[in-house]
Amino acid sequence: MVCPVCGEALDLEGMEPGGILDCEACGAVLKLLSDGTLEVVEPPAEGEVLFGLEAFGEGEEAVLRFSDGTLEEEVRLLKAELLEALARLEEGVGEEPPKEAEDEPNLEPDYLTVHLESQEGPLALRRIFFPGAEDLLEFSLPSGSLYQLPFHKALRYLKSLLS
């Protein structure tokens, strides 16, 4: 079954008719009907703000401004390179394959990494998968700072601003 709003695949295993779920990809609130279809209870919020990241384009460049509430850092890189890196992470293609923990259950997150060059130095984008939790998009900035954001929200936000 896929989300009727964004087309993202949804796991409805164990869900009963009348059950409510959130689409992690777009934020829509959905209800499973007795005929097995999904009804949109609440559409995704328009113009969603992503705390900790502000992004905008300046010509061919993307400007990413990160903030933790006290410190603000800015990184500049080519829009095309950032969009390509995000697409690779979305498709599950990174420079490092997902790391597998040897113990069961998997207590360590799996991840994919894509490295980019910004004007300020090397930048790493990492998609972090942790079973039963929302995927994260981690930015390792040239300064050494780390910022983690919900992967699907950050992806939508950046693609809408930089496409």
Side-chain angles (χ1 to χ4, degrees), residues 5-25:
V5 176
C6 69
E8 182 77 15
L10 300 171
D11 179 17
L12 302 179
E13 186 176 325
M15 179 154 239
E16 300 286 328
I20 302 289
L21 74 144
D22 293 325
C23 175
E24 289 182 14

Side-chain angles (χ1 to χ4, degrees), residues 139-160:
F139 292 85
S140 297
L141 304 187
S143 67
S145 297
L146 292 175
Y147 291 90
Q148 291 183 341
L149 305 163
F151 179 78
H152 293 290
K153 287 181 183 176
L155 188 68
R156 276 195 321 276
Y157 175 73
L158 290 169
K159 281 185 169 183
S160 70

Side-chain angles (χ1 to χ4, degrees), residues 3-4 11 13 16 18 36 41 46 49 55-56 58 62 66 68 71 80 86 93 97 101 103 106 139 142 150 153 161:
C3 173
D11 179 17
E13 186 176 325
E16 300 286 328
V41 176
E46 291 295 322
V49 175
F56 54 93
E58 283 187 357
F66 297 90
D68 63 3
L71 177 67
L86 292 170
V93 179
D103 55 348
N106 187 355
F139 292 85
K153 287 181 183 176
L161 293 172

